[in-house]
Amino acid sequence: MSQIRSKNTLVEIKFRKLIWGYGIRGYRVNARLKGKPDLYYPAKNIAVFLDGCFWHKCPNCFIKPKSRKSYWDQKIESNVQRDILTTKLLQKEGLYVIRFWEHEIRKDAVKCLRKLASIYEKKVKDN
């Protein structure tokens, strides 16, 4: 468990390199917002979360642990509930919240980039 990273995971680094190359700049990685988004665009009020499939219970590829079932059930379910609450709180504060699953970025990061880019460009037009 000590080897599990909470920041700068391979998925995060891959996605940040991709969006940087595309020219979507101005994000912060250590924003002091509720839920600690992986990317935060303060000028556009966009918070981006890159959720790990195991830790956030992906509906497509989550595999339930076989050992310490009660611990993991409670842990994962509390993560899911916290994600829902965090999204609602940030939206209440006027932020646009985007969540990508780890497998989405691994499978087709460009598709995720396009979604972020369309929202980012819409926000640019609004400002």
Side-chain angles (χ1 to χ4, degrees):
M1 293 302 286
S2 65
Q3 299 298 311
I4 305 296
R5 303 185 75 141
S6 63
K7 288 285 178 191
N8 295 321
T9 63
L10 293 176
V11 171
E12 288 178 30
I13 292 169
K14 175 183 178 178
F15 194 65
R16 286 197 313 246
K17 284 182 179 181
L18 185 66
I19 61 175
W20 186 266
Y22 188 77
I24 302 177
R25 307 228 168 100
Y27 61 83
R28 304 289 175 263
V29 291
N30 293 320
R32 294 187 178 179
L33 291 173
K34 176 75 175 160
K36 299 178 185 174
D38 298 299
L39 301 169
Y40 170 57
Y41 291 90
K44 310 295 178 233
N45 284 332
I46 300 172
V48 181
F49 291 89
L50 309 176
D51 293 337
C53 292
F54 173 75
W55 299 105
H56 300 271
K57 198 174 183 180
C58 172
N60 295 340
C61 53
F62 174 74
I63 297 172
K64 198 171 188 175
K66 291 182 172 51
S67 64
R68 299 184 65 202
K69 291 179 184 182
S70 62
Y71 169 79
W72 284 113
D73 287 346
Q74 183 180 2
K75 170 67 177 156
I76 301 298
E77 194 55 40
S78 69
N79 288 352
V80 171
Q81 294 305 315
R82 187 185 64 230
D83 291 344
I84 292 167
L85 179 63
T86 299
T87 299
K88 288 179 182 177
L89 288 172
L90 292 176
Q91 287 172 338
K92 239 182 193 178
E93 292 177 14
L95 273 73
Y96 192 96
V97 178
I98 305 169
R99 289 189 175 270
F100 295 116
W101 288 109
E102 174 184 7
H103 75 266
E104 290 178 310
I105 295 169
R106 289 185 191 274
K107 182 179 177 186
D108 194 356
V110 174
K111 184 178 178 183
C112 298
L113 165 71
R114 286 187 194 124
K115 181 177 179 179
L116 174 61
S118 70
I119 294 164
Y120 182 87
E121 290 165 5
K122 182 184 180 301
K123 292 283 194 170
V124 168
K125 291 176 185 174
D126 291 346
N127 290 340

